[in-house]
Amino acid sequence: MADHNDRTPNIPGQRQEPPATNGQDLNVPPPPAPSPEEKEPRLAALHAWWDDAWDDGGFLHDRWEDLRQAPKLGWHSMANWMKAAIALAGICTVIILLDTATEVLADAIHRLLTAAPHVQVGTDTSTGIFAVVDQPIRSYIATHADSLQISASTVYTLWQITGLFGLIGGFFRSSGARLTWTAWAAASIAMVYSAAPADGRTIATGLAVLAWTAASAIALRGLTLRPSLFIHNAVPGIDIRPQIHVPAPAAPPTYSTPDNVHPLQKR
């Protein structure tokens, strides 16, 4: 029912605002919707391609035959695309395993290094003669490790591991381990000399040198400073092969004297 209260007169020729079109032109007709008849050829073409791919000689049929015959043919006779796929899968598996192993190893090393006792200046955790050498090294590491990214306890643990590696590797006559042992000992003696008390610096350094010399009997076993001379007095072997025959040189030709030639004789 019309509203009788609305008495606004509709004056001819009065300017009226056009309705909102949301940016669309009312004069342009909307695009026609695709008819069902146009979709049927696409489905029919896809269905035909699927049937052709599974027929004899088709792409999917050949790939399925490669998969079915792979256990009988073995690695050397199987299809190349299967070898590439297996190799790629193996490489991805190895990368994943290495990434996981690296994380586990890094976590184990971090726990091992952080499990060392905290190193502080003046903390005497060793006793006896070993404290004369160990305590200056602890003090030197604790004093000079403040500006590093790792703690002093980690540095002290690495120092112990390096010395143990040089001792064991040198016992098994590893040249690299023996060089590591020599450099580790020189650094240890330098730290003892630098951090030992001034009154007992000479004695502490001397004890460090003696301790390193005694331990070098294990790390440097078999090492001698005398040059080794190797003299070979063996007679060189003569290779005689009786199957090789050298033909004898041919004799020079002999010329016979004719019967009508006689030497001159004096009478």
Side-chain angles (χ1 to χ4, degrees):
M1 180 181 294
D3 190 3
H4 297 284
N5 296 326
D6 188 5
R7 301 180 180 276
T8 304
N10 188 6
I11 302 174
Q14 185 179 4
R15 185 177 179 180
Q16 299 179 359
E17 295 181 358
T21 59
N22 295 328
Q24 297 181 357
D25 191 359
L26 297 178
N27 297 326
V28 179
S35 61
E37 298 179 355
E38 296 180 358
K39 297 181 180 180
E40 292 181 358
R42 298 179 183 178
L43 295 177
L46 182 60
H47 185 70
W49 176 87
W50 181 263
D51 293 339
D52 294 339
W54 282 106
D55 289 338
D56 292 340
F59 177 79
L60 297 179
H61 181 270
D62 293 342
R63 302 294 82 77
W64 174 253
E65 288 296 326
D66 293 339
L67 290 173
R68 189 176 61 85
Q69 297 178 2
K72 299 180 181 179
L73 298 177
W75 174 260
H76 296 285
S77 300
M78 69 173 55
N80 293 330
W81 70 270
M82 295 184 61
K83 295 181 181 179
I86 294 173
L88 182 61
I91 292 173
C92 295
T93 304
V94 171
I95 292 175
I96 294 173
L97 292 177
L98 288 178
D99 182 63
T100 305
T102 302
E103 293 179 358
V104 173
L105 182 61
D107 183 67
I109 294 176
H110 177 72
R111 292 183 180 181
L112 177 63
L113 295 179
T114 54
H118 187 65
V119 180
Q120 296 180 357
V121 179
T123 303
D124 190 3
T125 58
S126 56
T127 58
I129 300 177
F130 181 70
V132 179
V133 179
D134 181 67
Q135 182 61 26
I137 293 176
R138 284 174 173 267
S139 301
Y140 185 88
I141 292 175
T143 304
H144 295 81
D146 295 337
S147 59
L148 300 178
Q149 301 297 328
I150 55 179
S151 62
S153 59
T154 303
V155 177
Y156 181 73
T157 305
L158 290 176
W159 176 81
Q160 290 179 323
I161 294 175
T162 304
L164 187 62
F165 165 75
L167 181 64
I168 297 176
F171 178 79
F172 291 101
R173 299 185 179 184
S174 174
S175 300
R178 288 179 174 178
L179 292 176
T180 304
W181 170 259
T182 305
W184 177 84
S188 300
I189 293 172
M191 287 190 290
V192 171
Y193 180 81
S194 177
D199 297 338
R201 179 173 299 170
T202 305
I203 297 176
T205 306
L207 290 176
V209 173
L210 292 177
W212 173 74
T213 305
S216 296
I218 301 175
L220 304 179
R221 71 182 186 93
L223 185 63
T224 179
L225 300 178
R226 293 180 298 178
S228 301
L229 299 177
F230 299 95
I231 301 175
H232 299 278
N233 294 326
V235 179
I238 300 175
D239 189 9
I240 300 176
R241 299 182 180 181
Q243 67 273 15
I244 300 176
H245 302 280
V246 180
T254 58
Y255 299 96
S256 59
T257 305
D259 297 336
N260 59 353
V261 176
H262 301 281
L264 297 177
Q265 299 179 357
K266 292 182 179 181
R267 294 182 177 181

